Amino acid sequence: ADRIRTTTQAAAKLGMEGKHGEALATLRELERIRPIEDTPTPELIGIYSALLGRTGNEEKQNEMRGFLFGINQNIAHSGDGKSSATAIHVIFVSEEYVWLREKGLKVKGQHLAKSGDGIYDVITAVDRNGAEADYYFNVTRLFARGAQDLSRGSGR
C-alpha cells in the first residue's frame, strides 16, 4: 500500500510538471507487483486514466474512466456508514477521506473498532452546520491483506 501511494504521488507530480510519458512509466512500475487494473484504488486509476488521455491513448482512458466510475459506485453504494452493519467498504484508507470530502465532512477524530468478524475504521466528522457524527468504514479486507503481505515476508 505504501508503494502504491508513493508511486501514485510521484506520477501525479510528474504529470503536473507536464512530463506525462515519464509519469505513465512511473505508474507502470507498479505492474511488477500486479496489473494496474487489479489495484482498484480511485486515486491510482484516476491518475492513470488522465495520463493515458494526455499521452493519446483515449480508448484505454475511456476504459479506465468506466472502471473508476464502477469503483466509486461500489464504494458509494456499499453502505451509508452510520453503523458497522451499514459500513462503507473500502480497499484503501485514502478512500475514506475522499468519501468524507465529497460529503463536505471534516474529520475530527478516528479509531478502530471490532464488531463480530469485522474491523472498522470509525471516523468522527463534522458537517457544514457543525453537526458531529461517526462514520464506519469496513477495513477488514485491508487488515487481511496486510496479514497476507506480512506472512509472505514483504513487511509491506
Side-chain angles (χ1 to χ4, degrees), residues 91-147:
I91 299 167
F92 292 97
V93 173
S94 61
E95 295 163 6
E96 298 170 1
Y97 295 94
V98 170
W99 188 90
L100 292 163
R101 188 174 50 247
E102 287 176 356
K103 304 279 187 243
L105 301 167
K106 294 194 180 197
V107 175
K108 183 175 180 183
Q110 181 173 5
H111 69 277
L112 284 176
K114 283 188 166 191
S115 178
D117 290 337
I119 302 171
Y120 302 89
D121 205 357
V122 183
I123 298 180
T124 302
V126 179
D127 69 15
R128 291 179 182 104
N129 298 321
E132 189 175 296
D134 286 338
Y135 295 91
Y136 291 75
F137 296 88
N138 188 321
V139 294
T140 307
R141 287 186 293 177
L142 186 124
F143 275 82
R145 189 176 60 239

Side-chain angles (χ1 to χ4, degrees), residues 7-143:
T7 302
T8 301
Q9 289 170 348
K13 184 175 186 271
L14 287 167
M16 291 176 69
E17 294 170 357
K19 300 175 183 175
H20 304 121
E22 287 179 52
L24 196 53
T26 298
L27 279 185
R28 287 195 171 130
E29 290 175 15
L30 293 173
E31 293 190 323
R32 292 181 188 160
I33 301 169
R34 69 174 63 94
I36 290 174
E37 290 88 350
D38 291 348
T39 311
T41 174
E43 183 179 22
L44 171 61
I45 299 301
I47 291 171
Y48 184 52
S49 173
L51 291 170
L52 288 165
R54 296 267 164 87
T55 57
N57 192 343
E58 292 177 13
E59 183 177 332
K60 186 70 173 177
Q61 178 189 30
N62 287 332
E63 179 185 328
M64 289 297 98
R65 282 181 175 170
F67 185 47
L68 181 58
F69 179 77
I71 294 168
N72 286 329
Q73 288 298 303
N74 189 41
I75 292 168
H77 296 291
S78 62
D80 64 11
K82 294 181 180 180
S83 70
S84 61
T86 62
I88 296 132
H89 291 256
V90 295
I91 299 167
F92 292 97
V93 173
S94 61
E95 295 163 6
E96 298 170 1
Y97 295 94
V98 170
W99 188 90
L100 292 163
R101 188 174 50 247
E102 287 176 356
K103 304 279 187 243
L105 301 167
K106 294 194 180 197
V107 175
K108 183 175 180 183
Q110 181 173 5
H111 69 277
L112 284 176
K114 283 188 166 191
S115 178
D117 290 337
I119 302 171
Y120 302 89
D121 205 357
V122 183
I123 298 180
T124 302
V126 179
D127 69 15
R128 291 179 182 104
N129 298 321
E132 189 175 296
D134 286 338
Y135 295 91
Y136 291 75
F137 296 88
N138 188 321
V139 294
T140 307
R141 287 186 293 177
L142 186 124
F143 275 82

